[in-house]
Every structure is written in structure tokens, then in C-alpha cells.
């Protein structure tokens, strides 16, 4: 058992003592499948917990009876783990599923520089900066609630839960249309409800510039970063989203645009409805739900049908979802959400599949990646180094 992490040894001991929990079975499954992706033994979906435990115990008793005369302990341990974990598979088809767990023996700690004070690097939170029409800035966070200002014919309110809302009111004198901007820093996220009742989610390091009240035949906003829209349907007024390289036009739909200035690709994913996208001087592309359009800074455009929509908007739902995702893309998300800088000394192209809450400490995310034995990390202050 020399090459088995300490916490796995601990769970194996509990297994034979009869005290293993469902979550510990899942941890065994995750650890085992990360090394043995060719194993496809599965339980039926309707098998109860009691039936799982009974089959597990029966299988191990039979195995121990037939193998008790073997003298090579390493062979015995390896087969015990394989039998135990194969019987404890509680999810179907996952190659690697990140699970938050605790045990008496922790896995090897991620290296932390002794030259800096060790502090937890916490995940992002609801925070943003609102820039009003006259240039005044307002810090938005959980501590700030209530009315902010009147902009044109619109009342601006900060609502508990990380939401800023614009509400039109009938003024005796019509005011000039003015523009506001909401921007999130690294380590921040925020929601908006525009004056037409369109809902907007901003990921970290993103922004949206918009009129406080829409007038005329169009509704147009400008964004950077990663933004998710649920556009309020209005057949008389198109909703237009512009980025540095693209224009998306809708009447009422749900979609996500990822257009960070420090990335080569602009990605548009359609969740519901219909969407027309034009990149610079290219032709118009009409998307249907499940389509994901990718545009590179070299001018290449591709459309992926039946894209992994859940992964594309996982950030909005408080998750990291990786589906054969390259390490460099994972670490880009890590930089923005945890407000850290990442330095690579290792292969950027190794790929990972799994899921984890965005509410986890950064060490939890890095530890899950380390379980694959494909990569190691070092934390020095706010710098994360990917080691060889």
C-alpha cells in the first residue's frame, strides 16, 4: 500500500471494520476510477443502499476466501480495492468526479511557501462596481442594500443576494437617456435586472454597459468577459449584445457569451430560443438551442452542435464543470474566481473531467486535480505555480 494515499488507506480500513459511509464509497470510486478508467463495472440505477452494502460484503468475503493463501500482500490489496470500489460505484459513466470529503488522514498537502504568511485563498463573492452617468462609482456588495440613485426616468436599487435592479417610473418630464456600467473584479460576480426586465449574470472580471432605459426600436448593451442573459421577450424591440468582435441579436432567449480580452476565442452558447450572431465582417450565423459558436482572433468560426450547455453556464449555477477541459483553461477560471496569478512549469495541455462547487477553498480544487497524479501545485501568497 506504499503508493496509496493515506486517506484512502484509512477508508479501506473502515471498509473492513464495517463503518464506511456512502460518501467514503464515492471517494474510493473517484480515486480508483482516476487510475483505472478502463473499469466499467456499474450498479443498477435502482439498487438500494442496503443492497449495495450486502453485495459489497458478500463479494469481499468470497474474494478473501479464495485469495487467503496468497502470500504477496500488494496483489491482495490491489484486488481488494478493485472489488470494493467496483461494487461501490454510485454514479454512472463518470471518469472522475470531484467529491468534497474529510478523513482522519489528509492527502499530501499542497506545497505552501514558508516565505509568505499562509492565508486561505477564498472563492469569489457578490461584488461589483457601478459607474453612474456622471462618473460616480458605487461599490456593490452584500453590505450595501436599498436605493442608490435616480438615473433618467429609472430608479436604481441594490437588492439582497447580489442583484442590482432598474425600474422605470413615470416622471412628469421625460429625462435624457443615460448609460451606466456594472463591472466585476477578479473574485467577484453580480446580477442585474435591466429596465425591460431582462436578467443578466456577470462572471468574474466582466462588465456590461447599458442605457438605464431602453427607447426606440432596439435594446443594445455592450459587454466584456463572460455574461449570461435571459432576455425578456419583446417582439417589437430586438435585444443586441456587442463585444469587441461580435454582435448577437435576439428577441427573447437565454444565452451566454464568453469574450474575455485576454483569450483568443469568443464563445457564444445558446440555451433557449434563437440567436443571430455576426463576427466582424463575417456572415450571420443563426443558432438553435444547444449550439455553441466559437470565433478565434484569427477569424476562424466553428459551430458545435449539442454542446455541453451545463458546463458552459456552470459558473452561473455556482459550479466548476470540466468536460475533458485542458489545464490552462481550468487555471484561467481559477485566476479569475480566486483572484490569483498562475505560473506554469508543467504541461498545460493535460485534460480533466469533473465537478466541484465554486464555494470551495482553492486548496480543495487543487487537491482534487492532484489526485489524478497528473499535476502538482505550489502556493506562494497569491501566486499558484503548476509544477512539473
Amino acid at each position: 500500500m506504499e503508493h496509496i494515499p493515506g486517506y484512502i488507506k484509512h477508508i479501506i480500513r473502515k471498509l473492513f471494520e464495517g463503518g464506511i459511509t456512502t460518501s467514503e464509497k464515492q471517494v474510493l470510486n473517484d480515486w480508483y476510477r482516476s487510475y483505472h478508467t478502463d473499469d466499467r463495472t456499474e450498479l443498477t440505477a435502482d439498487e438500494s443502499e442496503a443492497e449495495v452494502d450486502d453485495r459489497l460484503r458478500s463479494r469481499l468475503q468470497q474474494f478473501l476466501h479464495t485469495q487467503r493463501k496468497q502470500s504477496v500482500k500488494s496483489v491482495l490489496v490491489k484486488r481488494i480495492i478493485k472489488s470494493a470500489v467496483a461494487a461501490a460505484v454510485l454514479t454512472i459513466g463518470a471518469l472522475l468526479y470531484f467529491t468534497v470529503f474529510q478523513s482522519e488522514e489528509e492527502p499530501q498537502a499542497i506545497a505552501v511557501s514558508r516565505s509568505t504568511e499562509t492565508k486561505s485563498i477564498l472563492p469569489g463573492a457578490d461584488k461589483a462596481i457601478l459607474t453612474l452617468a456622471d462618473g460616480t462609482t458605487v461599490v456593490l456588495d452584500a453590505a450595501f442594500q436599498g436605493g442608490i440613485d435616480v438615473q433618467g426616468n429609472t430608479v436604481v436599487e441594490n437588492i439582497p443576494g447580489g442583484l442590482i435592479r432598474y425600474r422605470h417610473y413615470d416622471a412628469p418630464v421625460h429625462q435624457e437617456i443615460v448609460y451606466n456600467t456594472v463591472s466585476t473584479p477578479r473574485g467577484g460576480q453580480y446580477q442585474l435586472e435591466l429596465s425591460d426586465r431582462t436578467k443578466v449574470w456577470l462572471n468574474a472580471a466582466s462588465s456590461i454597459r447599458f442605457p438605464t432605459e431602453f427607447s426606440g426600436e432596439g435594446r443594445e448593451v455592450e459587454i466584456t468577459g463572460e455574461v449570461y442573459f435571459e432576455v425578456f421577450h419583446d417582439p417589437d424591440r430586438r435585444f443586441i449584445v456587442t463585444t469587441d468582435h461580435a454582435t448577437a441579436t435576439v428577441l427573447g432567449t437565454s444565452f451566454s457569451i464568453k469574450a474575455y480580452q485576454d483569450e483568443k476565442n469568443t464563445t457564444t452558447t445558446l440555451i433557449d430560443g434563437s440567436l443571430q450572431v455576426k463576427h466582424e465582417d463575417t456572415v450571420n450565423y443563426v443558432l438553435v438551442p444547444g449550439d455553441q459558436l466559437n470565433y478565434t482572433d484569427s477569424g476562424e468560426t466553428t459551430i458545435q452542435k449539442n454542446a455541453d450547455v451545463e458546463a458552459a453556464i456552470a459558473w452561473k449555477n455556482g459550479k466548476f464543470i470540466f468536460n475533458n477541459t485542458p489545464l490552462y483553461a481550468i487555471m484561467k477560471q481559477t485566476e479569475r474566481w480566486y483572484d490569483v496569478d498562475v505560473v506554469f512549469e508543467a504541461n498545460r495541455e493535460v485534460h480533466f473531467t469533473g465537478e466541484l462547487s465554486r464555494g470551495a477553498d482553492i486548496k480543495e480544487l487543487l487537491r482534487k486535480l492532484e489526485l489524478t497524479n497528473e499535476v502538482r501545485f505550489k502556493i506562494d501568497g497569491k501566486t499558484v505555480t503548476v509544477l512539473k
Side-chain angles (χ1 to χ4, degrees):
M1 299 179 75
E2 290 80 359
H3 302 294
I4 301 174
Y7 70 94
I8 292 293
K9 296 179 185 178
H10 173 70
I11 296 176
I12 292 172
R13 285 197 295 270
K14 291 187 67 177
L15 174 67
F16 288 106
E17 292 169 358
I20 190 171
T21 66
T22 299
S23 62
E24 287 170 332
K25 290 177 186 178
Q26 184 64 65
V27 171
L28 273 177
N29 172 52
D30 293 344
W31 174 81
Y32 176 79
R33 293 292 287 276
S34 69
Y35 286 94
H36 303 275
T37 57
D38 58 331
D39 192 293
R40 290 293 182 269
T41 306
E42 299 172 349
L43 300 179
T44 58
D46 59 351
E47 194 166 20
S48 69
E49 183 68 21
E51 289 171 331
V52 171
D53 291 341
D54 289 342
R55 183 144 74 89
L56 177 56
R57 284 193 293 268
S58 175
R59 197 173 208 174
L60 288 174
Q61 288 171 356
Q62 181 180 8
F63 175 82
L64 290 173
H65 177 72
T66 58
Q67 298 294 326
R68 61 187 176 183
K69 293 184 180 181
Q70 291 193 21
S71 59
V72 182
K73 292 183 180 180
S74 61
V75 174
L76 177 60
V77 170
K78 181 177 180 180
R79 295 189 180 183
I80 287 173
I81 295 171
K82 185 172 183 178
S83 298
V85 177
V89 178
L90 300 179
T91 55
I92 297 175
L95 293 179
L96 175 64
Y97 190 93
F98 300 146
T99 306
V100 179
F101 60 90
Q102 293 180 341
S103 62
E104 293 179 6
E105 296 184 53
E106 290 294 326
Q108 180 178 353
I110 296 166
V112 178
S113 173
R114 295 178 181 272
S115 64
T116 59
E117 182 181 358
T118 302
K119 293 183 179 180
S120 294
I121 300 178
L122 300 178
D126 293 329
K127 54 186 176 182
I129 299 294
L130 166 64
T131 303
L132 301 175
D134 63 359
T136 301
T137 58
V138 180
V139 177
L140 305 174
D141 56 27
F144 189 106
Q145 298 179 13
I148 296 176
D149 201 355
V150 175
Q151 294 283 281
N153 291 338
T154 307
V155 176
V156 187
E157 297 178 290
N158 199 44
I159 309 299
L163 169 66
I164 183 171
R165 184 169 61 193
Y166 286 72
R167 280 286 177 264
H168 173 77
Y169 74 98
D170 293 324
V173 178
H174 185 75
Q175 302 293 323
E176 179 185 359
I177 302 299
V178 296
Y179 284 79
N180 284 184
T181 300
V182 174
S183 56
T184 54
R186 296 205 309 182
Q189 63 180 10
Y190 226 76
Q191 299 179 42
L192 293 85
E193 186 173 325
L194 303 178
S195 61
D196 68 335
R197 289 183 281 177
T198 289
K199 296 180 180 179
V200 182
W201 284 257
L202 294 178
N203 200 355
S206 303
S207 71
I208 180 170
R209 181 177 182 270
F210 54 95
T212 59
E213 180 185 9
F214 294 107
S215 64
E217 297 181 356
R219 298 172 287 170
E220 186 168 352
V221 301
E222 303 171 18
I223 70 161
T224 64
E226 190 165 16
V227 185
Y228 176 82
F229 291 89
E230 290 183 357
V231 177
F232 184 78
H233 183 70
D234 185 342
D236 297 323
R237 294 190 299 174
R238 297 177 300 169
F239 194 95
I240 301 171
V241 180
T242 62
T243 70
D244 284 346
H245 301 290
T247 301
T249 304
V250 301
L251 292 177
T253 188
S254 301
F255 64 100
S256 177
I257 296 182
K258 184 179 180 182
Y260 284 108
Q261 295 176 336
D262 61 350
E263 292 193 17
K264 295 181 179 180
N265 288 11
T266 297
T267 303
T268 305
T269 307
L270 180 59
I271 314 302
D272 182 58
S274 62
L275 184 64
Q276 178 180 285
V277 182
K278 183 176 182 180
H279 285 284
E280 296 182 339
D281 295 329
T282 65
V283 299
N284 289 326
Y285 293 89
V286 178
L287 307 186
V288 298
D291 283 355
Q292 186 174 82
L293 188 148
N294 290 283
Y295 175 82
T296 69
D297 56 5
S298 61
E300 181 182 357
T301 302
T302 59
I303 296 180
Q304 180 181 350
K305 297 290 186 180
N306 301 313
D308 190 344
V309 170
E310 185 180 7
I313 62 171
W315 61 271
K316 167 187 169 287
N317 299 321
K319 299 177 183 178
F320 291 110
I321 295 182
F322 308 130
N323 185 2
N324 198 31
T325 306
L327 180 61
Y328 70 83
I330 293 175
M331 299 317 293
K332 272 293 183 185
Q333 294 185 48
T334 303
E335 281 187 322
R336 294 178 183 129
W337 186 236
Y338 291 97
D339 188 17
V340 296
D341 296 312
V342 175
V343 177
F344 277 89
E345 294 182 0
N347 184 6
R348 295 158 52 93
E349 298 296 334
V350 61
H351 288 62
F352 296 89
T353 295
E355 179 177 327
L356 187 72
S357 168
R358 292 220 309 174
D361 185 281
I362 192 173
K363 289 184 181 179
E364 190 66 31
L365 170 63
L366 302 183
R367 185 178 291 119
K368 299 308 180 186
L369 296 175
E370 285 192 345
L371 285 177
T372 64
N373 261 4
E374 295 284 350
V375 67
R376 286 286 181 265
F377 300 95
K378 181 181 73 172
I379 299 175
D380 185 355
K382 297 281 282 186
T383 301
V384 176
T385 302
V386 184
L387 302 173
K388 295 180 180 179

